[in-house]
Amino acid sequence: MSPPQVPPTESEPPPARSPLSTFVEKAAYVAAPGTVAFALLYYFGSLYVREYYSALGVVPEDLGMSVQNVVASSTKAIFLPLCLLLAGGLIVFLVFGWLGRALSGPEHEVHRRTAIVLLLAVGVAMMLMGLATLFSGLVAIFAPGVPRTFMPALMVAVGSTLAACAVHLRLSQSPEIRVRQAPVGDRVWLAAGTLLIGMLTVSLFFDMAQYSAVVGRSDARLDARRGYKDTPFVVIHSRVIVPHNAKGIRFKDHGSAGGPYRYEYRGFRLLMKSPTRFYLVSYLSRWKDRHVVVLSDDRTAWLEIRSPDKNVGATSPAPASRLRTASRLRTA
């Protein structure tokens, strides 16, 4: 006689999760990518700021710029490469999908293997050539300027993309593949694809960092050649004589009647303000003869900041208002 069978017990439902834990989990999904994006913006912005002010003769470590200003400066550095990267990524994904559909099926097995071998060989060759160019003197084969700066890492990125396409074609033969249940050969291809994606990410990151530095130097040179038109004019009222070698600066001594701030300097533009210093340049300064005058913010002088409007003369007061002009006419 068989023992009485115990009826199966129903599995207990999982304990209910509190709303706080659910909110924390969702916030983690949002905060983790946001933190990485913010760190990248800060890094590229710091590269842009450092190269910009270093090209103008200012020590960037002394500026003490806030994190918000550095991140805001990153938009000039990464907007164009980010747009190109997104457009290129979209094209690559479309090509991957089309190529996988075109070579699917047993009737295209020979063409599929040929495509995998060609893509893998060309991709690995481009990667090796790009890496050898980056870390050796072979970079001289590229023309100076933009090709020499960006082409080596770009070759690594394109080569890793082609090799990743070969890995995609190889692994798409068994679509529902799992890492633990995959054969040894498929695991090797998965590992190779992971390394290729990492190589692609590193090469693109390197090129974007190079681009941020180049844009910072180019913007500094352009602003200097344009005469710093977007920076405001300043009039210095000083207690002591300010020594400088900037040209085009108008000096006036008001004497004892001018009070403690008797010395006046006109013709400077405010390049940058740090917590303890003013960085000034002459309105006549250009790229070849740029001279930065550093004025300490120690209460020996106060600065009258005026609009960078071209109608405001650098060596003359701002245009008189209508009321002041009318009063002069009545007096006359």
Side-chain angles (χ1 to χ4, degrees):
M1 184 175 179
S2 61
Q5 298 181 356
V6 180
T9 58
E10 297 182 358
S11 60
E12 298 181 357
R17 302 179 60 182
S18 63
L20 180 59
S21 61
T22 305
F23 173 77
V24 170
E25 182 178 357
K26 293 181 178 179
Y29 284 113
V30 177
T35 304
V36 175
F38 185 83
L40 291 176
L41 290 176
Y42 181 81
Y43 177 75
F44 293 129
S46 63
L47 285 179
Y48 175 85
V49 170
R50 185 186 66 183
E51 294 298 328
Y52 180 89
Y53 288 104
S54 296
L56 296 178
V58 179
V59 181
E61 288 77 13
D62 294 341
L63 297 178
M65 296 185 66
S66 62
V67 177
Q68 292 82 357
N69 291 336
V70 174
V71 173
S73 301
S74 64
T75 55
K76 298 180 181 180
I78 68 170
F79 180 76
L80 179 60
L82 188 60
C83 292
L84 295 177
L85 180 61
L86 293 176
L90 178 61
I91 294 174
V92 168
F93 279 117
L94 292 177
V95 171
F96 275 20
W98 172 81
L99 192 61
R101 291 191 300 269
L103 297 178
S104 61
E107 65 276 8
H108 299 290
E109 184 66 24
V110 177
H111 299 286
R112 188 185 190 90
R113 291 181 179 178
T114 304
I116 292 174
V117 172
L118 288 177
L119 289 173
L120 189 61
V122 174
V124 172
M126 292 186 67
M127 286 175 55
L128 294 178
M129 186 179 299
L131 292 174
T133 306
L134 277 174
F135 300 105
S136 66
L138 295 177
V139 72
I141 63 177
F142 296 104
V146 174
R148 185 174 296 180
T149 304
F150 299 107
M151 282 304 297
L154 189 61
M155 289 180 59
V156 177
V158 174
S160 58
T161 302
L162 294 178
C165 181
V167 174
H168 170 73
L169 290 177
R170 172 62 179 79
L171 294 179
S172 60
Q173 295 177 355
S174 52
E176 296 182 357
I177 187 172
R178 294 183 180 180
V179 178
R180 295 182 179 179
Q181 300 177 359
V184 177
D186 289 341
R187 293 183 184 180
V188 173
W189 283 95
L190 283 172
T194 304
L195 293 177
L196 289 172
I197 293 176
M199 185 67 68
L200 174 63
T201 304
V202 171
S203 59
L204 292 177
F205 178 83
F206 181 81
D207 256 353
M208 290 188 69
Q210 292 286 93
Y211 182 82
S212 301
V214 170
V215 170
R217 292 191 295 268
S218 301
D219 287 352
R221 182 171 298 186
L222 179 61
D223 290 343
R225 289 177 176 177
R226 294 172 59 237
Y228 309 95
K229 292 183 178 180
D230 296 331
T231 57
F233 286 104
V234 294
V235 179
I236 302 176
H237 303 274
S238 177
R239 294 174 178 264
V240 297
I241 295 179
V242 180
H244 66 86
N245 294 322
K247 62 181 182 179
I249 304 301
R250 181 181 176 183
F251 169 72
K252 186 176 182 180
D253 184 2
H254 293 282
S256 58
Y261 299 94
R262 56 183 292 181
Y263 305 109
E264 181 181 294
Y265 296 85
R266 294 176 179 267
F268 280 112
R269 283 184 178 271
L270 180 60
L271 182 62
M272 186 60 189
K273 171 67 173 71
S274 71
T276 58
R277 297 180 180 89
F278 296 96
Y279 294 88
L280 310 172
V281 291
S282 171
Y283 77 104
L284 294 178
S285 178
R286 295 298 182 266
W287 175 253
K288 293 182 179 180
D289 57 350
R290 62 192 184 279
H291 295 283
V292 179
V293 178
V294 182
L295 182 63
S296 299
D297 188 8
D298 54 0
R299 296 184 181 181
T300 58
W302 66 276
L303 272 63
E304 183 180 349
I305 301 177
R306 298 183 176 181
S307 169
D309 188 359
K310 62 181 180 180
N311 294 326
V312 181
T315 59
S316 61
S321 63
R322 294 181 179 179
L323 294 176
R324 189 179 303 173
T325 305
S327 63
R328 290 179 180 176
L329 291 176
R330 291 195 193 97
T331 305

